[in-house]
């Protein structure tokens, strides 16, 4: 008896479903929200409009501490810090907002303007992955995961249609979708890796001495100023070893910097 054309592909069908379940597990998470958070957000915005910037900062901070991570909250928090001339805190929160809403025109303008106010002109070089996957900065991890899910479902739908109704259009459509599927999966993987390994930190102090070792008696190598973005290599005993794109390295007091990525 000739085997059914679908018998060989029954087990293959479960592979995309398993991948889909894994992506959905990463994408969807329970988001327990405290009662009345909208009211706190409204009052924080009102305080900002009325020039009570520190009050707005405190309210936005409470929202973030309660688990309401949102790009607009980080953006508003950055604006409030900027109004108080706290450039380091402004850039820190603008950068965090940029992870969640990278295409926001107002955010991009304010972040660029805040960077122009910094004393240290430290350029952030682009690596091989940034150049190859040039579109990643304009998309969030959540959007990339959804693109992968949708392409996954469409590809396997067309694939199953082709099993029962072979035709030229299903062949070429499945081929194109397969390429896009792998591209979306690779983009999601690269973006996830970039976020998990993001070691950038912002100098929050007006001035930070970078020393040759984790001791105040060590040699002063160079100075960093508020708003400068550095790479955080490691921390120990109240000190942090930071590096610059030009390979300069030095130890600064841990309280003078804060890492942009809070999730690792």
């Amino acid at each position: 008896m000739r085997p059914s054309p679908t018998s060989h592909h029954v087990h293959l069908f479960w592979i995309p479903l398993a991948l889909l379940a894994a992506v959905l597990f990463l994408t969807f998470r329970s988001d327990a929200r405290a009662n009345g958070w909208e009211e706190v957000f409204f009052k924080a915005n009102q305080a900002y409009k009325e020039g009570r910037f520190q009050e707005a900062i405190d309210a936005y901070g409470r929202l973030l501490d309660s688990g309401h991570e949102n790009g607009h909250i980080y953006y508003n928090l950055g604006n409030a810090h900027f109004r108080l001339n706290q450039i380091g805190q402004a850039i820190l929160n603008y950068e965090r907002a940029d992870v969640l809403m990278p295409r926001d025109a107002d955010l991009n303008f304010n972040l660029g303007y805040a960077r122009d106010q910094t004393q240290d002109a430290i350029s952030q070089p682009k690596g091989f992955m940034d150049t190859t996957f040039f579109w990643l900065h304009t998309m969030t991890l959540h959007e990339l995961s959804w693109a992968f899910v949708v392409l996954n479902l469409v590809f396997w739908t067309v694939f199953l249609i082709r099993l029962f109704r072979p035709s030229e259009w299903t062949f070429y459509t499945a081929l194109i979708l397969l390429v896009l599927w792998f591209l979306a999966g690779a983009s999601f993987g690269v973006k996830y890796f970039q976020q998990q390994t993001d070691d950038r930190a912002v100098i929050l102090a007006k001035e930070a001495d970078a020393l040759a070792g984790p001791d105040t008696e060590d040699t002063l190598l160079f100075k960093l100023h508020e708003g400068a973005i550095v790479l955080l290599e490691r921390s120990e005993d109240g000190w942090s070893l930071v590096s610059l794109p030009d390979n300069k390295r030095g130890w600064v007091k841990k309280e003078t910097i804060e890492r942009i990525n809070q999730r690792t």
Side-chain angles (χ1 to χ4, degrees):
M1 179 182 295
R2 183 179 179 180
S4 169
T6 61
S7 61
H8 179 65
H9 302 283
V10 172
H11 296 295
L12 290 177
F13 180 71
W14 291 104
I15 296 177
L17 292 181
L19 292 173
L20 174 61
V23 172
L24 290 177
F25 177 78
L26 292 173
T27 303
F28 295 105
R29 59 183 180 183
S30 57
D31 205 4
R33 301 186 180 273
N35 293 329
W37 75 269
E38 297 95 341
E39 183 179 355
V40 177
F41 186 65
F42 173 80
K43 288 182 177 180
N45 291 341
Q46 192 65 31
Y48 177 85
K49 291 178 182 178
E50 295 174 0
R52 293 178 281 117
F53 301 121
Q54 187 58 54
E55 184 178 332
I57 289 172
D58 295 338
Y60 292 134
R62 289 196 299 272
L63 287 173
L64 294 171
D65 290 340
S66 63
H68 296 86
E69 188 180 43
N70 181 285
H72 294 287
I73 296 178
Y74 281 123
Y75 172 65
N76 291 351
L77 183 56
N79 287 338
H81 279 295
F82 188 84
R83 290 288 189 172
L84 292 179
N85 199 33
Q86 298 169 345
I87 303 300
Q89 287 284 358
I91 290 178
L92 175 67
N93 286 285
Y94 285 154
E95 289 286 353
R96 288 172 175 171
D98 186 56
V99 174
L100 300 173
M101 48 182 204
R103 296 185 302 278
D104 189 276
D106 292 332
L107 168 61
N108 290 330
F109 177 84
N110 286 10
L111 177 56
Y113 185 77
R115 286 173 176 168
D116 290 340
Q117 309 307 305
T118 60
Q119 187 172 339
D120 301 317
I122 302 175
S123 60
Q124 300 296 317
K126 291 186 177 181
F128 174 77
M129 287 299 182
D130 295 319
T131 304
T132 305
F133 294 87
F134 58 88
W135 59 87
L136 291 187
H137 179 68
T138 63
M139 301 185 69
T140 67
L141 187 66
H142 181 78
E143 290 169 341
L144 287 170
S145 67
W146 267 110
F148 177 73
V149 168
V150 171
L151 286 170
N152 185 51
L153 290 175
V154 174
F155 168 75
W156 286 102
T157 299
V158 173
F159 180 78
L160 291 175
I161 292 175
R162 177 165 174 76
L163 289 179
F164 295 99
R165 296 291 183 91
S167 63
E168 186 175 353
W169 77 266
T170 56
F171 172 78
Y172 287 109
T173 301
L175 188 62
I176 294 173
L177 288 172
L178 181 62
V179 173
L180 294 176
W181 179 45
F182 276 111
L183 187 61
S187 298
F188 175 81
V190 171
K191 185 75 171 184
Y192 181 81
F193 175 79
Q194 287 179 336
Q195 289 194 2
Q196 293 299 309
T197 59
D198 185 3
D199 293 327
R200 294 176 302 150
V202 180
I203 301 295
L204 301 182
K206 293 297 181 182
E207 187 176 81
D209 293 337
L211 308 179
D215 192 292
T216 54
E217 300 299 323
D218 276 298
T219 305
L220 174 63
L221 300 177
F222 53 92
K223 290 180 178 289
L224 292 167
H225 301 87
E226 185 179 16
I229 297 180
V230 298
L231 292 180
L232 175 61
E233 295 190 15
R234 67 177 187 274
S235 297
E236 58 180 59
D237 299 327
W239 292 83
S240 294
L241 178 62
V242 300
S243 61
L244 304 180
D246 59 3
N247 295 322
K248 287 183 179 178
R249 300 169 76 227
W251 292 86
V252 299
K253 290 288 187 65
K254 188 176 181 179
E255 64 268 18
T256 62
I257 68 172
E258 187 168 341
R259 191 175 176 181
I260 295 172
N261 184 8
Q262 301 170 290
R263 300 180 182 181
T264 56

